[in-house]
Every structure is written in C-alpha cells, then in structure tokens.
C-alpha cells in the first residue's frame, strides 16, 4: 500500500481496520495499536474474529456479508453495542465505541473497512456540558426569581409590575387598571403577635390572591403591607367596582394565626390607563392618593 | 395512485424487508423486536398537501428526528425514516431497557439518542434499500443515513419543496417486547422511478395470476 496513505491512516484519531474478503486483517492502524496494545505486525493476516472476539456474533457476520455483497454500510452505536475492542489500559473507564462498516473496492479487490470511534470521553464531555448548561439555566432562573419576585410571598415584586406597566404603556391601544391595596390594621397584628406572625398573615393573603388571579391580571407586593393589582383590558367603572369587591371578598374570611381569628380589611385606590395618567409613576401616584383618601375616610368612620 | 392489488403486493414486500431489519435488531438488543408496515400509500406531493392534511401533516409539521439517505442512479430518490420528537426518548429507553420518564419541559436529546436513532434508521433503511435493489434487479448506491432534528415545520417545508414529486409513504409499527411506537418512512421518487417501481409490481402481479 502506498506509504503516504498508510502514514495518513496512522495519523487518524480513530481506529481503522481493513479486512480482505476472507475476513483477515490487512491493516490495523497506529491508533488501534496504541489502544489495544496489539501491534499491526502481531495481528496482520489473522482472522478478525480471533483478534476481536466480539465480531464472532452472527449479527456482525451478517453486516460484513451485506457490506461485501451489496455494498451496504452499517453503523453500530456504542449505546446499543457498548464496545468492540478491549483497551489494554487497566485503569481505562468502561469503553464506548461506535463503528462504521463499509465496503471498499480497489482494483478488483474487495475489502471491508471498519472505522472505530471511542466515544466514551465524547459522551462524558457532552454530559458535563449538559450539566453545566442546566446549572446556568437554573442559575438564571433563580436570578430572575430574585430580581422579579418577592421572597416572602412569592408574588411578583415592584420591579416586575413596573416593567410590566412600562411595557403595556408602549403597546398600541392598550387599556388597563391599576389597584393600590393597603392592608388596614396590619401594624396592630405585628405589634400584638410579632413580625413572624405578621409575615405569616402576608403569606396567607398572597396565597388567597394567587388562587383567584387570572390571565391578564398580576398581583404584586410593593413593600410591607402594600400590594398592587394590575388588570389588563378592563377600565370601566363597573369592572373597577367588581375588582374592588373581589379584593374585599378575599379578606372576608378571617386569618387563623396562633389559633386566633384575625380579620383585617384593605384600603383600595385605583387608576386607569390612559385617562388617569400616561406614565407608570403618574398612575401609581393617582392610585396611591386614592387609597390614602379611602384610608382616612375609614379612620374617620365613613 | 396504486390499485388495491399493487398496494397489497408492495405492503407484503416491504413487510419482508423490515422483517429482516427486525431480526437484526432483535439480535443486537437481545429483545423481541417487531417491525411491520401496516399501511402503505403512494401519493404525489400535491395529494399529500390535501388528502393527508388531517392525519399526517400535523406529525410532519411537528418536531421530528429523521434519518435520511439518498439512493440510486437510474432508480433514485431519498428515504427518510422519522419519529416524532416526543417518541424519541421512549424509543431510546425501550432499546436500552431503561425506565421512560415523561419530560414536561422542552425535548432535549443527547448524542446517545441520536446514535440509537441513526442505528435503527440505518438497519431499517438498509433492509429496505437492499430489498428494493433485489426487486429492481439493480445495485442501489446509498450512504449511511444522516440524523437531523427538525424544528416544528422544517421537515414538512423541505418535503413539499423537494424536486421529487412522488412519495411512497410507509407507516412503520416498531415494537419492543410489548411496547409499540409508530414511525414513518417516506421515500421520495422521481416520476420515472415510480413508473419503474409500478412496472415491477405489475410484473409480480402478473406472475401471481399466471
């Protein structure tokens, strides 16, 4: 065989075996010699099944025969066959090898070429890459959770709702209502039962909100006992009143804390886009002012 | 495009071809593998767009993993063996004897999945090509199939815009032990190749009647 071609084959980073029609080895490249510890001189001329006993199986004999008779190429995956040749390194991990069997015709002489790829490290590398990609995705998700969600209640936070408002304002022909909700009497709960129980009440209120919130609605916690409800596409007086009633209904049932029934109420203000303001800040101010008007009225007993 | 007799003959022939592939796969996996072609259709790509719209187009328009090869000189075309993406993990789990876990997130495939599908596709398409070569009494030239993951819509788009105008559609039932998965083999032919195939089928039909 041409020395140049042999030199090239010996440089390849995979195993190459060339068999004649009698299934005797005619070429065994350097990669295989290094991998198996068997030199070409040792194996040349020997039947392939003697050097690679796994090829004794019927299924490979069939593939070899089909390659010689019909020129069929066969691919055998490491996933389904595991491996074909043994590595001489005792400390080598479980080998995984793909092979490709094909027919070669050179000057009326038929050969079988077996290309062998060690994919153990490749699979491992892909697995590690996948793992690292998954951790990046998980990290991004947790970062997003940290930036956009309130850690106490799990509700969207101020940033989330402000971003959403900015986005909606830019949309063409969009209308929406923004409700500012402040829980009345929350300070007294904190003073009487302590901050831990106060936090528990906020979490319970948030849970009630999550259960009723629908598509195109967002309930967010601003800070302390202040919450926002954003409702897209609804700005009529009737719709606004329905939402105020809906929020009040959420507080009808008392909260049970330390086996005590605690009933609290809310002061609610609202603003509608675009009639009450055209920026997020304006809308928040209008809803906030309205909420305070209501709070003062409640304190005066109206 | 096929008479019931032609359809029956082709169905029987392709069942013999895939039966050989099933034997080989059974041997490799040391499991009972069943492969059958319960349905076969010859359509023009124009007919595919209209008549198979409800049943087939949604599958072809989804995310699919295909093993494809081009074949032949005189008798030529392209064969695609496809599995809908949602079945791939099931197929690979069945082949490896692993437990199948339904993924609720997006499909994620690794090289092992691709290699398994490539090998199954290679074995099935080899059997079909070998069988068709014998039927046509010619040696078909073809390579090892390529595995491609097509995003939703991509496969169908490529299929209907191809040069070959006729499509032999084989529904392939792939069974491992007691589980079953349905795959599809689509073989696109030029008009001359289809005429050649029908001519061969007619010869068989005549021989049977004599």
């Amino acid at each position: 065989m041409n020395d140049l071609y042999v030199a090239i084959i010996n440089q390849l980073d995979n195993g190459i075996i060339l068999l004649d029609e009698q299934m005797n080895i005619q070429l065994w490249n350097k990669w295989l010699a290094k991998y198996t510890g068997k030199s070409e001189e040792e194996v040349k001329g020997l039947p392939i099944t003697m050097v690679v006993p796994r090829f004794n199986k019927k299924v490979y004999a069939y593939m070899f025969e089909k390659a010689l008779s019909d020129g069929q190429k066969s691919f055998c995956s490491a996933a389904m066959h595991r491996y074909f040749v043994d590595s001489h390194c005792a400390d080598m991990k479980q080998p995984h090898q793909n092979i490709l069997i094909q027919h070669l015709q050179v000057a009326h002489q038929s050969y079988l070429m077996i290309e062998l790829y060690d994919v153990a490290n490749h699979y491992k590398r892909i697995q590690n890459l996948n793992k690292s990609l998954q951790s990046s995705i998980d990290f991004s998700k947790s970062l997003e959770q940290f930036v956009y969600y309130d850690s106490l209640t799990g509700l969207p936070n101020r940033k989330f709702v402000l971003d959403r408002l900015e986005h909606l304002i830019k949309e063409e022909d969009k209308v929406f209502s923004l409700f500012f909700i402040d829980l009345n009497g929350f300070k007294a709960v904190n003073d009487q039962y302590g901050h831990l129980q106060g936090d528990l009440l906020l979490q319970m209120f948030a849970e009630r909100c999550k259960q009723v919130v629908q598509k195109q609605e967002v309930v967010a916690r601003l800070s302390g006992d202040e919450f926002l409800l954003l409702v897209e596409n609804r700005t009529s007086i009737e719709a606004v009143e329905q939402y105020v009633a809906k929020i009040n209904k959420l507080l009808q049932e008392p909260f049970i804390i330390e086996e005590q029934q605690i009933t609290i109420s809310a002061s609610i203000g609202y603003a509608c886009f675009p009639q009450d303001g055209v920026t997020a800040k304006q809308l928040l101010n209008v809803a906030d002012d309205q909420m305070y008007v209501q709070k003062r009225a409640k304190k005066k007993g109206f | 495009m096929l008479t019931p007799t032609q359809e029956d003959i082709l169905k029987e022939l392709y069942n013999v071809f895939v039966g050989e592939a099933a034997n080989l796969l059974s041997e490799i996996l040391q499991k009972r593998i069943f492969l059958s072609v319960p349905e076969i259709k010859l359509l023009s790509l124009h007919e595919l767009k209209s008549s198979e719209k409800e049943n087939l187009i949604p599958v072809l328009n989804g995310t699919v993993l295909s093993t494809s090869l081009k074949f032949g000189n005189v008798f030529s075309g392209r064969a695609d063996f496809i599995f809908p993406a949602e079945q791939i993990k099931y197929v690979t789990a069945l082949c490896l004897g692993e437990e199948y876990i339904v993924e609720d997130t997006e499909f994620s495939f690794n090289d092992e999945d691709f290699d398994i599908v490539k090998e199954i596709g290679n074995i099935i398409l080899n059997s079909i090509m070998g069988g068709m070569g014998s039927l046509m009494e010619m040696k078909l030239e073809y390579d090892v199939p390529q595995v491609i993951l097509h995003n939703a819509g991509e496969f169908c788009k490529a299929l209907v815009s191809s040069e070959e105008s006729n499509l032999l559609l084989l529904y392939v039932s792939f069974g491992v032990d007691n589980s079953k998965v349905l795959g599809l083999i689509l073989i696109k032919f030029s008009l001359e190749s289809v005429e050649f195939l029908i001519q061969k089928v007619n010869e068989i039909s005549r021989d049977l009647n004599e």
Side-chain angles (χ1 to χ4, degrees):
Chain A
M1 203 175 293
N2 186 306
D3 287 347
L4 176 65
Y5 295 150
V6 173
I8 293 170
I9 289 166
N10 280 328
Q11 287 298 315
L12 294 175
D13 194 23
N14 63 294
I16 301 281
I17 307 168
L18 200 66
L19 306 178
D20 60 22
E21 284 179 276
Q22 286 72 46
M23 301 293 123
N24 295 326
I25 297 171
Q26 293 304 316
L27 188 145
W28 180 265
N29 77 340
K30 281 234 167 82
W31 185 93
L32 276 165
K34 215 168 139 188
Y35 191 90
T36 60
K38 292 172 185 160
S39 69
E40 190 179 30
E41 291 71 38
E42 280 177 75
V43 300
K44 201 166 179 176
L46 294 176
I48 184 68
T49 48
M50 191 186 275
V51 181
V52 185
R54 276 181 67 84
F55 285 141
N56 258 321
K57 282 188 167 180
K58 222 164 73 183
V59 58
Y60 305 115
Y62 175 87
M63 288 178 189
F64 292 160
E65 186 204 312
K66 279 285 178 186
L68 280 175
S69 61
D70 299 347
Q72 261 183 16
K73 294 179 187 178
S74 295
F75 168 75
C76 300
S77 67
M80 276 161 52
H81 301 254
R82 297 287 161 207
Y83 68 99
F84 300 89
V85 295
D86 292 301
S87 164
H88 77 297
C89 302
D91 58 344
M92 180 106 177
K93 287 176 203 154
Q94 177 75 25
H96 277 74
Q97 296 153 3
N98 284 348
I99 59 162
L100 181 65
I101 302 163
Q102 55 185 313
H103 175 237
L104 282 185
Q105 182 88 33
V106 183
H108 306 296
Q109 195 75 31
S110 273
Y111 295 96
L112 267 188
M113 184 167 90
I114 303 168
E115 290 175 57
L116 189 141
Y117 299 86
D118 177 18
V119 290
N121 291 331
H122 180 69
Y123 281 174
K124 193 80 203 151
R125 219 168 33 238
I126 298 286
Q127 271 173 5
N128 288 342
L129 260 174
N130 278 341
K131 266 189 202 160
S132 126
L133 190 67
Q134 194 53 49
S135 348
S136 300
I137 293 168
D138 292 345
F139 178 68
S140 305
K141 279 184 183 163
S142 61
L143 202 62
E144 189 184 291
Q145 186 73 20
F146 178 73
V147 174
Y148 289 105
Y149 289 85
D150 172 46
S151 59
L152 178 70
T153 61
L155 286 175
N157 62 11
R158 173 189 281 270
K159 178 153 178 58
F160 182 102
V161 84
L162 287 179
D163 282 3
R164 184 81 195 131
L165 282 174
E166 298 290 355
H167 178 77
L168 290 175
I169 286 166
K170 281 181 196 153
E171 268 188 45
E172 214 171 305
D173 300 329
K174 197 78 194 174
V175 295
F176 59 85
S177 315
L178 185 68
F179 298 82
F180 202 113
I181 307 159
D182 185 279
L183 300 181
N184 300 323
F186 178 69
K187 189 176 175 303
V189 175
N190 259 349
D191 292 345
Q192 191 177 341
Y193 297 97
H195 286 284
L196 279 178
Q197 302 303 330
D199 285 351
L200 189 60
L201 187 138
L202 292 175
Q203 285 170 331
M204 289 161 102
F205 174 65
E207 274 314 306
R208 289 186 189 183
C209 292
K210 282 179 201 168
Q211 280 171 16
V212 297
V213 79
Q214 290 180 354
K215 211 178 165 189
Q216 300 197 315
E217 296 173 3
V218 178
V219 180
R221 181 177 176 224
L222 272 190
S223 62
D225 58 353
E226 292 175 341
F227 294 83
L228 280 180
L229 168 65
L230 171 66
V231 181
E232 290 178 42
N233 303 325
R234 306 285 303 269
T235 55
S236 69
I237 294 288
E238 296 78 28
V240 165
E241 282 173 354
Q242 273 174 16
Y243 275 100
V244 169
K246 195 173 170 181
I247 299 162
N248 284 326
K249 202 176 164 195
L250 286 178
L251 295 165
Q252 257 177 11
E253 285 285 312
F255 295 95
I256 312 289
I257 289 178
E258 288 188 352
E259 294 174 356
Q260 299 282 314
Q261 291 197 348
I262 298 170
T263 306
I264 55 165
S265 62
S267 297
I268 305 162
Y270 67 87
C272 298
F273 176 79
Q275 55 267 47
D276 293 325
V278 288
T279 65
K281 199 178 169 190
Q282 284 170 353
L283 293 163
L284 268 173
N285 284 341
V286 170
D288 193 16
D289 289 348
Q290 263 206 27
M291 184 276 292
Y292 267 106
V293 170
Q294 212 195 67
K295 205 175 204 45
R296 277 197 294 273
K298 276 194 176 168
K299 274 185 182 165
K300 285 179 185 171
F302 291 109
Chain B
M1 283 173 90
L2 289 174
T3 65
T5 313
Q6 289 169 335
E7 216 170 274
D8 284 348
I9 290 172
L10 270 180
K11 200 157 54 175
E12 199 166 326
L13 285 170
Y14 279 99
N15 269 307
V16 172
F17 302 160
V18 297
E20 198 173 300
N23 291 341
L24 202 57
L25 277 168
S26 300
E27 191 95 20
I28 292 168
L29 294 169
Q30 296 293 301
K31 289 172 193 284
R32 286 186 307 157
I33 308 287
F34 304 98
L35 277 168
S36 65
V37 181
E39 205 179 332
I40 193 164
K41 277 180 182 169
L42 183 62
L43 303 162
S44 70
L45 283 176
H46 172 70
E47 279 178 306
L48 170 77
K49 286 176 210 165
S50 50
S51 67
E52 294 294 312
K53 216 167 200 160
E54 276 180 24
N55 299 328
L56 199 59
I57 296 291
V59 177
L60 299 180
N61 255 330
T63 305
V64 295
L65 193 60
S66 73
T67 42
S68 318
L69 56 81
K70 284 188 171 183
F71 61 89
N73 292 321
V74 185
F75 182 76
S76 64
R78 180 192 162 95
D80 293 284
F81 178 47
I82 68 163
F83 276 126
E86 60 269 24
Q87 295 194 351
I88 302 301
K89 284 283 179 187
Y90 186 48
V91 169
T92 53
L94 281 178
C95 289
L96 299 178
E98 291 171 352
E99 196 188 342
Y100 172 61
I101 302 155
V102 182
E103 292 184 341
D104 53 0
T105 51
E106 278 184 30
F107 305 116
S108 60
F109 304 110
N110 55 32
D111 281 22
E112 212 169 20
D113 299 325
F114 285 129
D115 282 350
I116 289 172
V117 173
K118 182 175 175 176
E119 182 164 357
I120 295 171
N122 180 215
I123 289 171
I124 294 175
L125 292 178
N126 266 353
S127 298
I128 285 182
M129 291 301 133
M132 284 213 297
S134 309
L135 178 69
M136 299 296 158
E137 294 166 90
M138 59 173 71
K139 198 170 174 180
L140 295 180
E141 282 176 21
Y142 49 93
D143 217 324
V144 176
Q146 298 291 314
V147 180
I148 304 167
L149 181 66
H150 305 263
N151 288 326
E154 283 177 1
F155 183 81
C156 203
K157 202 172 153 189
L159 180 74
V160 294
S161 63
S162 65
E163 283 173 17
E164 294 93 354
S165 52
N166 294 282
L167 188 68
L168 189 66
L169 198 66
L170 314 172
Y171 290 84
V172 182
S173 172
F174 177 80
V176 180
D177 290 332
N178 295 319
S179 311
K180 208 192 263 181
V181 180
L182 263 181
L184 272 176
I185 295 177
L186 301 112
I187 310 176
K188 284 178 283 180
F189 297 104
S190 61
L191 190 61
E192 305 83 63
S193 301
V194 158
E195 282 169 358
F196 198 23
L197 177 74
I198 293 176
Q199 193 187 318
K200 281 288 167 190
V201 171
N202 287 341
E203 280 173 24
I204 295 173
S205 176
R206 269 198 304 277
D207 289 348
L208 287 172
N209 289 329
E210 275 170 12

